[in-house]
Amino acid sequence: LPDGTVLQAARSCPTAAASLAPTAVRGVVEEWAYVLAPAAAGGTDLTLVSQTDLAGYMPTAVTNRMVGPVLADYVRALERVTIARVQ
C-alpha cells in the first residue's frame, strides 16, 4: 500500500481430491491475513487475523482455548524467521 503497509492473505480451497487422514481434523480457513504496517516509532506493527471453521470436529470450548496460543506461536515464528534473515 502507499504508506508501506504490506498485506498477506490466504483462504482455503476445499476439494474432495484432498485425502483425509483418519487422525486429521479437516477445517476450512475462511480468513487468514497478516497486516504489516510501518510503526510510528520505527519497526513494524503486525496484526494477524484468522477465522477457521473446524466444522464441529472439535468442541468449541477446546477450540477457543487453543486458538490464542496457536496464533501467538505463528507470530513468534514469523518474528524469529524475520530476525534471522535480517542478521
Side-chain angles (χ1 to χ4, degrees):
L1 299 175
D3 70 349
T5 297
V6 176
L7 307 174
Q8 184 272 323
R11 188 173 189 145
S12 288
C13 297
T15 174
S19 62
L20 179 60
T23 58
V25 172
R26 178 58 54 98
V28 175
V29 176
E30 302 290 345
E31 308 292 339
W32 174 269
Y34 284 115
V35 179
L36 298 107
T44 303
D45 288 330
L46 171 68
T47 302
L48 170 60
V49 177
S50 174
Q51 181 180 3
T52 303
D53 179 4
L54 296 178
Y57 282 104
M58 294 178 69
T60 302
V62 173
T63 301
N64 289 342
R65 185 175 179 144
M66 294 175 60
V67 161
V70 168
L71 296 179
D73 187 54
Y74 287 139
V75 171
R76 285 190 296 272
L78 178 62
E79 180 181 46
R80 282 191 306 272
V81 169
T82 303
I83 289 170
R85 288 180 183 235
V86 169
Q87 294 178 344

